Amino acid sequence: MKTLIVSIVTPDGPVYESDVEMVSAKAQSGELGILPGHIPMVAPLQIGAVRLKNGNNTELVAVSGGFLEVRSEKVTILAQSAEKAESIDVERAKEARARAEERIQSNQAEIDQARAELALRRAINRINVYEHRF
Ligand code: ATP
């Protein structure tokens, strides 16, 4: 089976590096599925799960936006933050979700609303990845 090298990198350092058969990610334009032999490409990502498939095994990484680049059998994802399912602190994410929901409900300035909505999406994404709900 042909494979691609995938690396997921954040400002804090590398989070994931492995050979995989297929990588799926949520681009701004919709769900992307990348297989070996894919043409070179750069795509902005949404807050979402990256799925890394090898045989019957699928690993999940929560990413908070960023960019995906495909170049010569290598996929690089640059994200502001990224966590593998097993390194997610789900209690922290649930607290972040509650804080964001409170902020959204209280009538604040528009800019704070937008920030709270992004924080809410990051928290929900982490909870879903932790619970393997993808
Ligand atoms: P919080 O309000 O809990 O800090 P956040 O969405 O504002 O959440 P980020 O700014 O996206 O947090 O991330 C800051 C750093 O903390 C990153 O390194 C990120 O990987 C890490 N991080 C954030 N939430 C979690 C979590 N629930 N489990 C593990 N790491 C987390």
Side-chain angles (χ1 to χ4, degrees):
M1 194 78 186
K2 282 193 175 174
T3 57
L4 290 155
I5 301 172
V6 177
S7 55
I8 302 179
V9 182
T10 74
D12 298 330
V15 169
Y16 182 94
E17 168 118 14
S18 186
D19 277 346
V20 306
E21 289 166 5
M22 180 174 166
V23 49
S24 317
K26 210 170 166 192
Q28 300 279 359
S29 56
E31 192 70 25
L32 280 179
I34 316 242
L35 292 163
H38 197 285
I39 54 162
M41 163 184 93
V42 173
L45 296 178
Q46 298 186 43
I47 293 169
V50 173
R51 272 174 298 182
L52 304 135
K53 198 166 173 290
N54 256 322
N56 290 330
N57 182 35
T58 300
E59 286 176 274
L60 292 174
V61 177
V63 302
S64 299
F67 287 90
L68 177 150
E69 181 193 47
V70 186
R71 193 160 42 94
S72 54
E73 304 306 299
K74 181 158 189 203
V75 176
T76 307
I77 293 173
L78 300 171
Q80 191 55 42
S81 71
E83 305 88 32
K84 289 192 211 178
E86 62 268 26
S87 50
I88 289 173
D89 175 347
V90 76
E91 287 312 315
R92 174 173 168 183
K94 285 179 179 169
E95 282 165 22
R97 177 177 64 182
R99 264 196 319 275
E101 282 171 344
E102 262 171 47
R103 288 199 190 116
I104 289 164
Q105 272 153 28
S106 69
N107 265 336
Q108 299 182 95
E110 229 170 84
I111 186 144
D112 294 331
Q113 286 285 331
R115 274 182 60 180
E117 266 159 37
L118 286 174
L120 179 62
R121 282 166 52 198
R122 289 195 300 274
I124 291 172
N125 184 41
R126 288 178 176 125
I127 295 164
N128 285 340
V129 166
Y130 177 84
E131 293 175 352
H132 291 251
R133 273 204 257 131
F134 283 94

